[in-house]
Amino acid sequence: DQQVKQNSPSLSVQEGRISILNCDYTNSMFDYFLWYKKYPAEGPTFLISISSIKDKNEDGRFTVFLNKSAKHLSLHIVPSQPGDSAVYFCAARENNDMRFGAGTRLTVKP
Amino acid sequence: EAGVAQSPRYKIIEKRQSVAFWCNPISGHATLYWYQQILGQGPKLLIQFQNNGVVDDSQLPKDRFSAERLKGVDSTLKIQPAKLEDSAVYLCASSLGGPTKMAFFGQGTRLTVV
C-alpha cells in the first residue's frame, strides 16, 4: 500500500532558482512528516520535519509546507545550489511507524 | 557522535543461499528499524525494534526473513533462502524513539541475488 506518494520521479532546476518537491499522503493518522536527502552510496540523511499541528517550518534555505486538508506537503529550496542535487524522500509517521515515498531525484544545474 | 554502522556494504549471493546483515545503532537509541529499498522505490519498513522487543514486523516475509536485537543494541537481519526479488539495499536506522524523533540511517548493504 502506498500511503505516501511522490509523483515526480525527477526534477531539474537552474542554480539560484527555487526547487519545489511535492508529496501526497492518504493516511490522516500521520502526525509528523519528514524530508530526507540521499546521495549515491549513502544512507538517507534527515533534512527537515514538520508536525501536523503546523503548516510551515523553515530552516535556512529549506521550507516545508503542510496542507492537511489536501493531505499534501511540499519542500521548497531557495536558492537551489548544485550541492542540493540528490534524491529527496518524503516520510510520514504514525506513532513510530514511518512510511516513505518513492523519492524525487533533484538535479540543480550550474 | 558515531553514526549507524552497517556491514557488509555489498553482498552477492546465489538464489537459495542465506545471508546475514549486521547493524550497530547510535549509542543510546532505543528504536531500531530495518528497511528494504528496491531500486526506484522508497524504503519499505521490514521490522522495528524498541530495545530488544519487536514493535512492528507486519511487512517482514517471515517465511524467509528473520531479525533479532539481542541485548537491545546490535541487530542482525537474515534471509534464508534468498530469492532474486530480494535484491535491494537493506537500510538500518535508529532513533531515540518518540514520534518527533528523526531516524538516522546507516549507509546500507546492497544485496544482489543472482
Side-chain angles (χ1 to χ4, degrees):
Chain A
D1 65 347
Q2 270 213 292
Q3 297 186 40
V4 180
K5 294 181 182 179
Q6 292 176 258
N7 292 319
S8 298
S10 62
L11 174 68
S12 182
V13 300
Q14 206 67 35
E15 181 179 6
R17 308 293 282 264
I18 184 171
S19 295
I20 300 176
L21 296 99
N22 293 303
C23 178
D24 297 291
Y25 62 95
T26 57
N27 184 353
S28 58
M29 299 302 292
F30 287 139
D31 56 7
Y32 200 69
F33 303 89
L34 309 94
W35 284 94
Y36 281 83
K37 177 178 176 180
K38 185 182 183 303
Y39 291 117
E42 295 183 13
T45 55
F46 170 75
L47 187 58
I48 192 169
S49 62
I50 187 168
S51 166
S52 61
I53 63 174
K54 295 186 176 181
D55 55 18
K56 178 182 174 181
N57 187 27
E58 189 173 352
D59 183 4
R61 296 185 297 114
F62 303 91
T63 303
V64 56
F65 295 92
L66 175 63
N67 183 335
K68 282 190 67 177
S69 61
K71 294 192 179 68
H72 177 84
L73 68 156
S74 61
L75 173 68
H76 292 210
I77 307 174
V78 181
S80 301
Q81 299 174 354
D84 296 329
S85 297
V87 177
Y88 289 80
F89 291 100
C90 167
R93 298 183 79 148
E94 178 187 359
N95 297 319
N96 273 327
D97 186 5
M98 189 160 62
R99 303 288 173 134
F100 285 83
T104 297
R105 180 177 299 279
L106 173 66
T107 303
V108 180
K109 297 179 179 178
Chain B
E1 176 183 83
V4 177
Q6 288 188 248
S7 68
R9 287 295 310 277
Y10 305 93
K11 190 74 179 179
I12 301 174
I13 62 172
E14 294 183 350
K15 59 184 179 184
R16 291 187 289 274
Q17 285 188 320
S18 39
V19 64
F21 313 126
W22 174 81
C23 173
N24 179 234
I26 293 173
S27 177
H29 281 195
T31 306
L32 185 146
Y33 310 82
W34 281 103
Y35 285 88
Q36 178 194 58
Q37 186 179 10
I38 293 172
L39 188 64
Q41 299 180 19
K44 178 185 122 179
L45 180 68
L46 292 175
I47 189 167
Q48 177 188 332
F49 292 94
Q50 184 73 16
N51 297 308
N52 60 348
V54 175
V55 173
D56 181 359
D57 63 356
S58 57
Q59 299 189 87
L60 187 73
K62 298 180 188 63
D63 57 333
R64 299 183 300 105
F65 286 64
S66 65
E68 59 181 10
R69 190 183 184 195
L70 298 175
K71 300 180 182 178
V73 182
D74 293 4
S75 177
T76 55
L77 176 70
K78 296 179 182 177
I79 308 175
Q80 181 180 6
K83 293 185 175 181
L84 295 177
E85 59 260 36
D86 298 331
S87 295
V89 175
Y90 290 84
L91 293 161
C92 178
S94 69
S95 77
L96 285 170
T100 64
K101 301 298 183 185
M102 79 287 290
F104 294 84
F105 284 83
Q107 290 180 301
T109 296
R110 181 176 295 279
L111 173 68
T112 302
V113 183
V114 298

